[in-house]
């Protein structure tokens, strides 16, 4: 029996290029009776125009927004497959008589360079009326401003015919080069101190403070102030996540590890070595001895341990006391590991213990934990459990920390409950491996613009 296909309220959006990154930003629509700012609905290409006239802060803050952006490509003008970003934004239309929303799509070309990672956010006290979109393109990191609505609609009426349409294109606010040959891959952001972390192909995490400035002529720019580089990973980055309070950076890579760094100093605080075998079964066999392997330099004769790819890492609570990682090899099953962050070692030497894990998962194993320099963190492996019989290629955790969306190399999408350790639902979403996923940015009971209220409960929670 085949896996079920998606059905409404889920939907399929066709794109003309391979997708490597996705982000979903949203703020719920205000309850009936509360005012919200208006928006627009027109398609335009990007520009570097920077004299966008922002709406009033009160109008901008009260508006409901749903923005989904995709990045990718992989071709050139000769192949007809361009490298680009596609931004779909839907916002409340307060100019309408009833509850409604309007949508538009913006396309941004990235030229000859591919964009692999994107992240959309909006500062808590935004006075620019824009959603910021951070994009990792080649060795550069760019920040675009996506105007929420056009200036002419501030009073809820139609636009005049002579409105400057450039004001609703994406506006390039700033950019920086992470380092020659670094290869910017994944990005994440925390609003607590306006900080962006960039994970690179060479295993380095580069951290920046974003400083927003407005000139005397109204020009708006974002300057990147480099804070630190975090070093430790030996292969390309897969995932990044800030501590809920912004103090640490959690990362995972294709080197089989997840790591915690100090967001201010870049100091390594802990290393979590992930494993991809049944914790209740026998240990994996060691590579067989090969007499020729010691005397030859031929890679075909040299036995190497299987590569472990830690595709996802995430904090699992608002205190940053729980960490989840999802890892798999190039073949075989994937495993979800729950890690517990205990008190700092310098505060209570040897803090921890050996409390058992759940009955259907692996128990604690401190052998694959390494505290960072200075013994800053003590992290315990609470359990490890199989979450998929095939390798996982994309991961996203729901905003309430309950459900993991797991995209597999076979194109399937599974919704995995971390409490019951069971797959709640699985369906065939793609014909090729899933490359990226994004969870719904707010609780599923709060409607986003463009959503049917009656379809929210049990409705769309992830995009892949």
């Amino acid at each position: 029996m085949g896996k079920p296909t998606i059905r409404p309220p889920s939907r399929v959006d066709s794109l003309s290029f391979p997708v490597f990154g996705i982000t979903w930003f949203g703020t719920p629509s205000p309850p009936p009776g509360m005012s919200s700012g208006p928006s627009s609905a027109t398609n335009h290409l990007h520009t570097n125009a920077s004299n966008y006239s922002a709406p009033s802060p009160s109008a901008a803050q009260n508006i409901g927004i749903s923005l989904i952006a995709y990045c990718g490509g992989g071709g050139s003008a000769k192949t007809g497959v361009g490298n680009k970003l596609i931004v779909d934004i839907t916002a409340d239309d307060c100019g309408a008589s009833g509850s409604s929303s309007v949508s538009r799509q913006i396309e941004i070309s990235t030229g000859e360079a591919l964009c692999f990672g994107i992240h959309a956010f909006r500062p808590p006290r935004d006075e620019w009326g824009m959603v910021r979109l951070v994009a990792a393109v080649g060795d550069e990191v760019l920040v675009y401003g996506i105007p929420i609505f056009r200036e002419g609609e501030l009073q809820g009426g139609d636009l005049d015919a002579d409105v400057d349409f450039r004001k609703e294109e994406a506006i390039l606010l700033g950019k920086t080069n992470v380092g020659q040959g670094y290869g910017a891959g994944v990005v994440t952001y925390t609003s607590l101190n306006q900080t962006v972390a960039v994970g690179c192909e060479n295993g380095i995490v580069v951290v920046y403070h974003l400083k927003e400035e407005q000139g005397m002529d109204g020009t708006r720019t974002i300057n990147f102030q480099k804070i630190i580089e975090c070093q430790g990973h030996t292969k390309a980055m897969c995932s990044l996540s800030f501590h809920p309070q912004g103090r640490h950076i959690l990362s995972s890579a294709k080197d089989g590890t997840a790591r915690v760094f100090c967001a201010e100093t870049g100091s390594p605080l802990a290393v979590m070595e992930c494993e991809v075998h049944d914790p209740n079964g026998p240990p994996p066999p060691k590579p067989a001895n090969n007499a020729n392997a010691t005397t030859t330099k031929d890679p075909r004769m040299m036995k190497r341990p299987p590569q472990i790819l830690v595709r996802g890492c995430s904090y699992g609570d608002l205190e940053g006391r729980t960490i989840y990682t999802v890892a798999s090899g190039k073949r075989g099953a994937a495993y979800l590991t729950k890690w517990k962050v205990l008190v700092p070692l310098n505060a209570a030497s040897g803090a921890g213990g050996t409390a058992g894990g759940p009955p259907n998962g692996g128990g604690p194993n401190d052998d694959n934990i390494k505290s960072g320099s200075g013994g800053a963190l003590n992290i315990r492996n609470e359990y490890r459990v199989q979450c998929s019989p095939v390798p996982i290629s994309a991961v996203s955790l729901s905003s309430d920390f309950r459900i993991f969306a797991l995209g597999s190399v076979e194109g399937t999408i599974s919704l995995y409950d971390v409490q019951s350790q069971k797959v709640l639902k699985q369906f065939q979403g793609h014909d090729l491996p899933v490359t990226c996923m994004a969870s719904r940015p707010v609780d599923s009971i709060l409607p986003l613009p463009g959503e049917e209220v009656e379809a929210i409960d049990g409705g769309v929670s992830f995009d892949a």
Side-chain angles (χ1 to χ4, degrees):
M1 183 176 178
K3 299 178 179 65
T5 57
I6 63 175
R7 61 182 186 272
S10 303
R11 71 175 195 266
V12 176
D13 295 333
S14 297
L15 298 171
S16 61
F17 57 92
V19 178
F20 298 116
I22 188 173
T23 183
W24 192 350
F25 170 83
T27 54
S29 300
M34 289 186 60
S35 62
S36 65
S39 65
S40 55
T42 310
N43 298 341
H44 293 287
L45 297 178
H46 91 293
T47 180
N48 290 339
S50 57
N51 59 345
Y52 168 71
S53 181
S56 64
S58 59
Q61 291 293 344
N62 292 333
I63 193 172
I65 306 166
S66 180
L67 181 149
I68 298 177
Y70 313 88
C71 68
S76 63
K78 293 182 179 180
T79 63
V81 180
N83 302 322
K84 64 184 69 174
L85 305 170
I86 296 293
V87 182
D88 289 320
I89 181 169
T90 302
D92 291 329
D93 180 12
C94 79
S97 57
S99 175
S100 66
S101 60
V102 289
S103 304
R104 72 184 190 276
Q105 185 176 93
I106 297 174
E107 179 177 315
I108 306 172
S109 172
T110 60
E112 297 181 359
L114 266 173
C115 180
F116 284 101
I118 49 177
H119 186 89
F121 69 93
R122 193 176 178 203
R125 291 176 294 276
D126 173 35
E127 296 187 357
W128 292 3
M130 301 179 187
V131 177
R132 281 60 154 179
L133 182 65
V134 184
V137 182
D139 288 338
E140 292 186 324
V141 180
L142 303 91
V143 180
Y144 291 95
I146 310 298
I148 299 170
F149 46 81
R150 292 181 288 183
E151 181 180 6
E153 290 180 311
L154 288 178
Q155 284 71 44
D158 294 332
L159 285 171
D160 296 330
D162 59 352
V163 164
D164 183 357
F165 289 113
R166 293 180 304 168
K167 293 180 179 178
E168 64 161 36
E169 300 171 1
I171 300 170
L172 181 59
L173 299 173
K175 65 179 180 179
T176 190
N177 191 299
V178 294
Q180 185 175 0
Y182 275 42
V186 293
V187 291
T188 190
Y189 165 85
T190 177
S191 62
L192 296 177
N193 46 15
Q194 291 281 85
T195 303
V196 165
V198 185
C200 303
E201 289 292 309
N202 61 3
I204 294 177
V205 180
V206 188
V207 186
Y208 296 94
H209 172 68
L210 300 183
K211 185 176 181 181
E212 299 188 343
E213 298 180 343
Q214 183 170 337
M216 296 295 293
D217 60 353
T219 300
R220 293 170 171 84
T221 59
I222 291 181
N223 294 319
F224 287 79
Q225 298 177 341
K226 186 174 179 178
I227 300 175
I228 200 69
E229 288 189 1
C230 307
Q231 301 190 20
H233 287 290
T234 59
K235 293 187 178 180
M237 304 292 302
C238 294
S239 179
L240 282 176
S241 178
F242 272 104
H243 185 280
Q245 299 173 8
R247 64 181 67 165
H248 300 153
I249 298 172
L250 173 65
S251 63
S252 68
K254 296 180 181 180
D255 60 3
T257 69
R259 297 170 184 260
V260 181
F261 298 95
C262 175
E264 293 184 357
T265 67
S267 301
L269 303 179
V271 180
M272 292 155 279
E273 296 182 353
C274 299
E275 298 178 351
V276 291
H277 63 88
D278 185 353
N280 297 318
K286 296 182 179 180
N289 293 327
N290 189 327
N292 294 326
T294 60
T295 59
T296 181
K297 295 183 180 180
D298 187 344
R300 295 172 298 178
M301 300 294 294
M302 300 174 67
K303 298 293 184 179
R304 295 184 176 88
Q307 182 179 2
I308 297 176
L309 313 175
V310 189
R311 291 295 189 181
C313 62
S314 180
Y315 285 99
D317 55 41
L318 294 176
E319 291 77 33
R321 296 295 184 92
T322 301
I323 292 174
Y324 293 109
T325 59
V326 177
S328 60
K330 294 184 177 180
R331 299 181 182 86
Y335 288 83
L336 181 144
T337 304
K338 180 180 180 180
W339 312 81
K340 205 68 177 178
V341 181
L342 306 176
V343 295
L345 288 176
N346 55 10
S349 179
T354 55
N360 60 334
N365 178 7
D366 292 331
D367 292 338
N368 58 354
I369 312 283
K370 296 181 180 179
S371 62
S373 59
L377 289 180
N378 183 12
I379 300 180
R380 183 184 68 197
N381 180 337
E382 195 158 284
Y383 65 80
R384 181 175 71 256
V385 63
Q386 179 178 315
C387 59
S388 169
V390 297
I392 291 301
S393 52
V395 177
S396 183
L397 179 62
S398 63
S399 60
D400 58 5
F401 310 115
R402 294 190 308 110
I403 306 295
F404 263 107
L406 306 174
S408 78
V409 296
E410 295 182 349
T412 60
I413 297 172
S414 302
L415 301 183
Y416 184 89
D417 188 298
V418 296
Q419 296 297 325
S420 65
Q421 299 178 28
K422 294 181 179 179
V423 174
L424 302 179
K425 184 180 296 185
Q426 185 181 79
F427 49 89
Q428 188 69 42
H430 300 273
D431 297 327
L432 296 173
V434 181
T435 55
C436 52
M437 305 195 76
S439 61
R440 194 174 188 273
V442 297
D443 193 286
S444 60
I445 65 173
L446 301 174
L448 292 173
E451 294 179 336
E452 297 293 338
V453 176
E454 59 270 17
I456 298 303
D457 188 19
V460 179
S461 296
F462 296 91
D463 201 354

